[in-house]
Amino acid sequence: MKWVYRIIALIAAIAFVAPLVWMLVVSIKEEGMKIVTLVDWFTPPYSFAVYDQILSGTKLTNWILNSFFVAFCVTILTVAFAAMAGFVMSKLPFRYKSFMFFLVLAGLLIPGEAIIIPLYQVAKDMSLLNSYQGLIIPVLASPVAVIVLKSFFDGVPNDLLESVQIDGGGTWRIFTQIMLPLNRPALASMAILTFIGSWNNFLWPFLSVTNDNLFTLPMGIPTLMSSYSEDYVKPMVVNTIASIPIILLFIIFERQIVKGVSLSGIKG
């Protein structure tokens, strides 16, 4: 029966890869191409002139850099804060510990759209709109990251931490030299998911930024798409350029993602 599963897996892989291949092929076609049959999508002539036109004639490069900067800062700060909060709730005793964890858990029940208006008002009162700080700071809280990392920290034996304390290690040493290294797969998984979420975030940047020099890719792409709605090539070029970083991210960190997911499955 293994060959049946392999065939099914191959068909599923082709179904997922086919749109990407079609996007790449169309992106190197010449502008104003005439499409009559399906074969015309994949036949020459090919040209990279549109890539040069998009990269040099628009602010796409600036938007890519903005997306990288914002996603990188959001990822680092979100994972750092979530790791510290998860560690405190997992290993440090304090009053109302269960109640605090319940509040974090309750954050999962509130949709982001429900708090977007008060969040915007707070950012406005703090003069964070139209700034990188406004793109980064309001989206740092992540109840999911706190809960996931806490569950991983719970799996570290308390005896190990007590032995470190006996040797003179403090709380910060336990956190940085014991907890974080032992939970690298979980940290890597949360970092990648946070990066992707920030990279694809559209609603908050759309509300908090009006200066096109601060646009991120999800905000900038629709402006180009509307400008070139009568042609297939330029939208495909834009989408190809926007997709490449995330595809590379998955390829590079695939093992970390799989390992983190598998460990969380075992623990659950």
Side-chain angles (χ1 to χ4, degrees), residues 98-108:
S98 299
F99 178 71
M100 291 297 296
F101 180 72
F102 173 78
L103 290 180
V104 175
L105 191 63
L108 298 176

Side-chain angles (χ1 to χ4, degrees), residues 2-261:
K2 289 185 178 180
W3 64 273
V4 176
Y5 295 122
R6 290 177 180 177
I7 293 176
I8 295 175
L10 179 61
I11 295 174
I14 293 175
F16 279 105
V17 172
L20 296 177
V21 174
W22 177 73
M23 180 179 67
L24 290 172
V25 172
V26 175
S27 69
I28 58 175
K29 296 280 286 183
E30 291 186 346
E31 290 187 86
M33 60 180 181
K34 184 178 181 181
I35 302 298
V36 179
T37 64
L38 178 63
V39 179
D40 293 336
W41 287 109
F42 303 95
T43 55
Y46 300 118
S47 173
F48 288 93
V50 181
Y51 277 88
D52 181 66
Q53 180 181 349
I54 290 294
L55 293 174
S56 61
T58 67
K59 295 184 178 181
L60 186 64
T61 304
N62 184 37
W63 299 337
I64 292 175
L65 295 176
N66 288 341
S67 292
F68 264 117
F69 177 74
V70 171
F72 177 79
C73 292
V74 169
T75 300
I76 296 298
L77 294 175
T78 297
V79 174
F81 292 151
M84 288 187 284
F87 171 68
V88 170
M89 292 187 178
S90 175
K91 298 301 181 183
L92 300 185
F94 60 92
R95 295 183 63 182
Y96 308 114
K97 182 177 180 179
S98 299
F99 178 71
M100 291 297 296
F101 180 72
F102 173 78
L103 290 180
V104 175
L105 191 63
L108 298 176
L109 305 178
I110 304 175
E113 292 77 6
I115 63 172
I116 199 71
I117 294 178
L119 186 64
Y120 176 86
Q121 188 62 46
V122 171
K124 180 181 178 182
D125 294 339
M126 297 179 65
S127 301
L128 294 178
L129 300 181
N130 274 317
S131 67
Y132 287 112
Q133 296 91 324
L135 289 171
I136 296 170
I137 295 175
V139 297
L140 294 181
S142 177
V144 175
V146 174
I147 294 171
V148 170
L149 293 179
K150 177 188 178 300
S151 67
F152 276 88
F153 292 155
D154 288 340
V156 178
N158 292 327
D159 295 340
L160 176 61
L161 307 185
E162 292 174 358
S163 64
V164 177
Q165 289 176 331
I166 293 174
D167 292 337
T171 302
W172 184 251
R173 180 182 176 186
I174 292 174
F175 174 67
T176 57
Q177 299 184 15
I178 303 297
M179 303 299 290
L180 295 184
L182 289 177
N183 292 278
R184 285 178 182 174
L187 295 171
S189 297
M190 292 312 305
I192 293 170
L193 295 176
T194 303
F195 184 92
I196 294 173
S198 177
W199 181 272
N200 293 327
N201 189 13
F202 172 79
L203 181 58
W204 178 247
F206 177 75
L207 294 175
S208 62
V209 173
T210 56
N211 184 355
D212 60 353
N213 290 322
L214 295 175
F215 279 7
T216 57
L217 270 177
M219 286 189 64
I221 287 177
T223 63
L224 298 179
M225 297 283 281
S226 62
S227 300
Y228 306 125
S229 59
E230 296 181 357
D231 188 26
Y232 290 101
V233 178
K234 289 181 179 178
M236 290 303 172
V237 169
V238 174
N239 284 300
T240 299
I241 296 173
S243 301
I244 288 176
I246 298 301
I247 294 174
L248 293 177
L249 189 70
F250 269 115
I251 294 174
I252 295 173
F253 296 103
E254 178 185 2
R255 292 184 180 180
Q256 296 289 347
I257 298 174
V258 174
K259 189 175 182 180
V261 172

